[in-house]
Amino acid sequence: MSENIKKDLAQAKKNYQSKKYEDAKDLYESLYMDHPEAFTIWDKRFYSWALYQLYVKNPEDETELFEAVDTITQLVPQEDLSKKDGVCAYTLSMMKLLDHLYKNNDYENILIWADKLNPDYLSSKTSSFKTSDGRDVKIASNKEKYYNWVSKSLQEVEDYDECLAVSKEALEKLNNFTNNGDIWFKWRIARSCRELGEYDEAIEYLKDIYKFKKDWYIQWEIAENYFFKGEEDKSLEYAVSAALSHGDSDKKIKLYSLLEDLLEEDEPEIALKHSYLIYSIRLHNEWNIDESLEEKIADAGLDTENTEYWKIEKELKGYWKDLKFKTQQPNYGTIKRIMPHGKTGFIKRDDGEDFFFNRFEFKGDPNKYREGIKVSFYLEEGYDKKKDEIKLNAVNIYDI
């Protein structure tokens, strides 16, 4: 190697250390084009960090970002940071690029670039910070971010076999999850299983999710899987539970459509009322309405200008409740205790047995919500996190 090249490499390094990143990049770029063999691993690292500072750290141009990360991945290898703290230009640049692509919903490019990362080399270490209002916010590890980005992208491009495999791998290899990360991986497994016709496995994962996440759309997905299995009674059971659970009506249109399908043969009038509910929600929100739905509502002689969908929903709630609890007799008891935060408590049934309840299950007069009042209620399976067991909880509670 000539003395001039050595001198120029030393100057490029000095430029970088002086934070003259543009000068360092220009000199490294020129030298690497003509004399790549002259670069030591340290020269390549400084060249990589100069590119990172200029085009990756705070990217302004996507093309420059792609080109910079591509060059960095050719200059330096991905280091194994799974068991040690450290910084690696390769890893940091790739994570920045994947984060950029994820925020822009560019799922196909995520899968192309993620293939250049070895997840086994990524750190499992989480971090946290305190917000201005004193809340602790936990930030996912690089390994969790990688699996989240890849599994989500595979789901979006409808590669369900691979999404299933990657999501299961994530649950196997990750010990710490943030923001219910493990639940999202299980949900993607369930979604993939449904698309692949593995309905029993999908239901198993969804029921596991529902222990921790009591959202209506989990019940809806369980109902859908039972419907695809041909178990319509089970599907109806979960569908009406989802319909009665808290959630925005305009987001439940697919659920109401499922209920319509389930009821069409035995309860055509009730099925039609579900069609009318869907029609009114769409009309209220000024959404497109399918021509066949429009004709069905008009042929039935229903008001095609009705946007007050909540009135139709209120009528249907009584029917949903009858369906949900048709195999149960109501229970009677007294609110024994309400926790200090007011959100949960216990009801003592008249026979002396206690049942846990959530505040949102109290459907009676809110002014009467207090300890000592007599109530009627039904029972539904719930999950006790502390004891890790299924228990019966009080639901659909009314003061009497």
Side-chain angles (χ1 to χ4, degrees):
M1 185 195 313
S2 71
E3 288 301 317
N4 287 338
I5 295 173
K6 284 183 179 180
K7 191 180 294 183
D8 285 343
L9 285 170
Q11 182 59 48
K13 177 180 175 182
K14 187 175 180 181
N15 289 341
Y16 175 82
Q17 291 173 327
S18 302
K19 297 187 178 180
K20 297 177 181 178
Y21 302 126
E22 192 75 50
D23 292 341
K25 185 271 297 183
D26 289 343
L27 194 47
Y28 276 129
E29 187 174 63
S30 174
L31 289 166
Y32 196 71
M33 191 177 297
D34 296 325
H35 306 285
E37 75 288 345
F39 277 61
T40 65
I41 185 59
W42 289 103
D43 295 321
K44 291 178 181 179
R45 284 176 178 170
F46 280 116
Y47 182 14
S48 296
W49 284 116
L51 290 169
Y52 173 83
Q53 293 290 345
L54 289 168
Y55 306 118
V56 182
K57 186 177 182 180
N58 296 299
E60 295 179 1
D61 181 277
E62 192 174 78
T63 301
E64 289 180 337
L65 172 63
F66 284 153
E67 290 176 351
V69 176
D70 185 52
T71 302
I72 290 168
T73 58
Q74 294 179 50
L75 285 168
V76 292
Q78 180 186 357
E79 296 179 34
D80 186 352
L81 302 178
S82 61
K83 294 182 175 63
K84 64 177 182 180
D85 290 331
V87 288
C88 165
Y90 186 114
T91 301
L92 197 55
S93 299
M94 284 292 301
M95 295 300 291
K96 279 279 188 179
L97 174 57
L98 291 174
D99 184 47
H100 169 81
L101 294 171
Y102 189 71
K103 287 173 180 174
N104 286 281
N105 302 323
D106 191 348
Y107 301 114
E108 290 187 359
N109 262 321
I110 286 173
L111 296 174
I112 291 169
W113 284 91
D115 201 42
K116 297 174 181 285
L117 269 177
N118 181 349
D120 291 337
Y121 284 4
L122 295 175
S123 172
S124 299
K125 187 177 181 181
T126 59
S127 57
S128 60
F129 67 92
K130 198 175 284 289
T131 62
S132 56
D133 58 357
R135 289 183 302 111
D136 287 319
V137 177
K138 198 172 180 182
I139 301 172
S141 67
N142 279 348
K143 186 170 286 190
E144 184 181 353
K145 287 177 185 176
Y146 167 89
Y147 279 113
N148 179 49
W149 294 335
V150 173
S151 63
K152 168 72 171 176
S153 299
L154 288 165
Q155 178 183 296
E156 291 296 327
V157 303
E158 300 181 2
D159 187 346
Y160 298 113
D161 282 305
E162 198 59 31
C163 180
L164 183 64
V166 168
S167 299
K168 286 186 174 182
E169 185 178 311
L171 292 175
E172 181 185 321
K173 292 194 173 184
L174 292 166
N175 296 317
N176 296 310
F177 297 93
T178 57
N179 303 316
N180 295 319
D182 54 336
I183 289 176
W184 286 109
F185 288 122
K186 289 176 183 178
W187 182 75
R188 286 175 194 145
I189 290 170
R191 269 291 176 91
S192 298
C193 286
R194 186 193 71 180
E195 295 297 333
L196 295 168
E198 302 292 339
Y199 304 124
D200 287 327
E201 189 172 359
I203 290 167
E204 182 183 337
Y205 273 95
L206 287 167
K207 285 184 175 180
D208 187 42
I209 292 167
Y210 192 67
K211 292 177 185 177
F212 306 94
K213 196 170 180 63
K214 300 288 186 180
D215 291 307
W216 69 267
Y217 56 85
I218 306 298
Q219 293 175 306
W220 163 53
E221 294 215 14
I222 295 172
E224 272 200 322
N225 278 280
Y226 275 121
F227 181 75
F228 295 142
K229 278 188 73 183
E231 295 184 28
E232 294 192 358
D233 287 345
K234 274 286 188 183
S235 180
L236 188 59
E237 177 187 332
Y238 281 94
V240 294
S241 289
L244 288 166
S245 296
H246 178 73
D248 296 332
S249 301
D250 58 357
K251 292 182 174 65
K252 290 185 174 182
I253 281 182
K254 289 183 179 179
L255 167 63
Y256 298 145
S257 181
L258 173 62
L259 280 163
E260 179 190 354
D261 290 339
L262 287 164
L263 296 165
E264 195 162 22
E265 187 174 337
D266 296 329
E267 300 274 4
E269 289 184 11
I270 299 295
L272 177 61
K273 194 164 281 190
H274 285 82
S275 297
Y276 194 30
L277 175 58
I278 294 167
Y279 176 88
S280 296
I281 291 172
R282 287 193 169 278
L283 195 64
H284 175 84
N285 288 287
E286 298 181 353
W287 295 342
N288 290 332
I289 298 175
D290 186 84
E291 191 176 327
S292 62
L293 176 59
E294 208 159 9
E295 287 177 2
K296 182 190 285 190
I297 300 306
D299 290 346
L302 297 167
D303 181 4
T304 56
E305 301 298 320
N306 182 14
T307 60
E308 296 179 329
Y309 64 84
W310 52 89
K311 292 183 178 179
I312 306 168
E313 190 175 48
K314 187 176 181 181
E315 288 178 32
L316 284 168
K317 276 185 177 175
Y319 178 78
W320 294 335
K321 285 175 185 174
D322 288 344
L323 273 179
K324 180 173 180 178
F325 301 113
K326 67 181 180 181
T327 60
Q328 274 195 51
Q329 291 296 317
N331 294 270
Y332 299 94
T334 306
I335 293 184
K336 174 184 175 181
R337 184 184 178 194
I338 296 174
M339 298 303 183
H341 50 60
K343 295 179 181 178
T344 59
F346 289 90
I347 292 173
K348 179 182 283 294
R349 194 165 62 183
D350 287 346
D351 66 2
E353 190 171 355
D354 290 349
F355 297 96
F356 175 84
F357 73 91
N358 281 289
R359 168 71 176 85
F360 59 77
E361 287 292 348
F362 185 78
K363 314 294 185 182
D365 182 348
N367 295 316
K368 293 183 179 178
Y369 178 68
R370 61 181 180 273
E371 293 178 353
I373 65 163
K374 294 286 289 180
V375 292
S376 67
F377 61 96
Y378 288 88
L379 296 174
E380 187 174 77
E381 283 189 350
Y383 178 65
D384 187 328
K385 292 181 184 178
K386 288 184 179 178
K387 295 182 178 178
D388 188 28
E389 63 183 21
I390 302 293
K391 299 191 78 172
L392 290 174
N393 293 336
V395 298
N396 202 41
I397 306 161
Y398 283 88
D399 56 284
I400 55 175

